[in-house]
Amino acid sequence: MTVSLGVPQSDVDSVLALAVSPPSVAIVLGSGLSGLADVAADSRSMPYADLKGFPAVGNVVGHAGRLVTGSLGDTPVLMFQGRVHQYQGSSAWEAAYPARLAAAVGCETLIVTNAAGGVSFDLHTGDIVLISDHMNLMGTNPLTGWPGPDGGNPFIPMRDAYDPDLREIARVAAAEENLTLADGVYAGLLGPCYETPAEVAYLRGVGADIVGMSTVPEVIAARALGLRVLGFSLVTNAAAGEGLSHSEVLEAGRVAADDLSRLMIAILRKL
Ligand code: HPA
């Protein structure tokens, strides 16, 4: 199993040695959402650079390169502060390393979060979206060349990739926390440039609600490795909005990040 995940045993050993309890849930924290790691109990961290198999993470503002173990809502978690992005030149397989590592250390669930542009006219800055499905428009796939879990069958079903039971738990938790949760389809594009207005109109036409440059490779790999997946986008801007800048995306992320952190802890308490 470890061989087909492409995760060195030393990385598995490092994570399990770091964690006070073996993690059951992995959480990828997107732009501006790193704060969740600060409220974990028994938290311990290590830089990605200390893990042999972790692809080099480029230096983009707002993306730390750190792994944090700890406990949230009494659930042992493995958190990734910062992603491997394909727009920095990584392959889709490399971008999926957090998912592959999560599977290799025995996590059963992957929660992905990201900052995204709002494509639907119903979404606004600060909205939290429960991802119901995605469109892989990145032009790549983390599973190309992968032989499949038992060799010879790489054809992974992607229906209900975002687990319906977990989504229901998220909706109940949001209601209890008095948080409004929109539902939406995430379109993953390669980046790093933002979309043109014509591209955003196209995305709206084909049924996307939010757009971003991450998440898709991790989710595909997670499903291939049998992890259950839950995903959230924080709408940081209207896609192709006027004067769109990375610093605005980060600032909008900070404002609504507390709500998303609260929601996440409420969900973890129910798992
Ligand atoms: N487009 C793509 N990725 C993004 C955006 C956007 O508008 N906002 C945050 N990440």
Side-chain angles (χ1 to χ4, degrees):
M1 188 70 168
T2 308
V3 170
S4 69
L5 300 182
V7 175
Q9 187 59 41
S10 61
D11 282 8
V12 174
D13 295 342
S14 297
V15 172
L16 294 178
L18 184 73
V20 172
S21 308
S24 58
V25 175
I27 308 173
V28 180
L29 299 167
S31 291
L33 297 166
S34 290
L36 188 62
D38 299 335
V39 297
D42 297 329
S43 80
R44 295 180 180 181
S45 70
M46 72 189 298
Y48 291 161
D50 287 357
L51 293 167
K52 205 166 91 188
F54 220 107
V57 178
N59 188 18
V60 171
V61 180
H63 298 282
R66 223 161 61 119
L67 177 152
V68 183
T69 59
S71 177
L72 282 173
D74 287 332
T75 301
V77 293
L78 165 61
M79 288 173 283
F80 295 93
Q81 286 184 316
R83 291 192 144 86
V84 183
H85 282 105
Q86 284 184 253
Y87 61 66
Q88 291 176 294
S90 297
S91 69
W93 179 245
E94 288 170 337
Y97 194 75
R100 293 189 280 128
L101 181 57
V105 301
C107 290
E108 288 152 12
T109 302
L110 177 70
I111 305 180
V112 286
T113 67
N114 59 55
V119 168
S120 160
F121 289 123
D122 295 335
L123 293 173
H124 303 98
T125 298
D127 285 353
I128 300 173
V129 180
L130 176 62
I131 303 176
S132 58
D133 204 350
H134 77 217
M135 296 181 190
N136 180 9
L137 303 179
M138 302 180 93
T140 57
N141 192 300
L143 304 183
T144 44
W146 187 64
D150 2 87
N153 181 8
F155 306 109
I156 304 299
M158 290 298 288
R159 172 174 283 275
D160 291 336
Y162 298 82
D163 192 273
D165 294 337
L166 292 179
R167 280 156 55 205
E168 185 52 29
I169 289 172
R171 282 192 205 96
V172 171
E176 286 173 5
E177 294 291 319
N178 272 323
L179 291 170
T180 306
L181 199 53
D183 225 51
V185 173
Y186 177 93
L189 272 66
L190 187 58
C193 61
Y194 290 117
E195 300 70 38
T196 64
E199 286 163 344
V200 174
Y202 162 79
L203 292 171
R204 202 176 287 129
V206 295
D209 298 299
I210 39 187
V211 59
M213 308 172 191
S214 66
T215 301
V216 164
E218 297 149 9
V219 171
I220 292 174
R223 292 306 300 140
L225 300 171
L227 297 178
R228 299 207 299 165
V229 172
L230 185 63
F232 298 95
S233 288
L234 194 56
V235 179
T236 53
N237 57 279
E242 210 125 343
L244 178 55
S245 73
H246 185 54
S247 57
E248 278 170 348
V249 167
L250 291 181
E251 181 51 29
R254 270 189 280 278
V255 173
D258 289 348
D259 284 348
L260 186 51
S261 295
R262 196 151 55 85
L263 174 61
M264 208 79 87
I265 291 167
I267 293 167
L268 289 165
R269 256 194 228 108
K270 293 180 183 297
L271 295 185

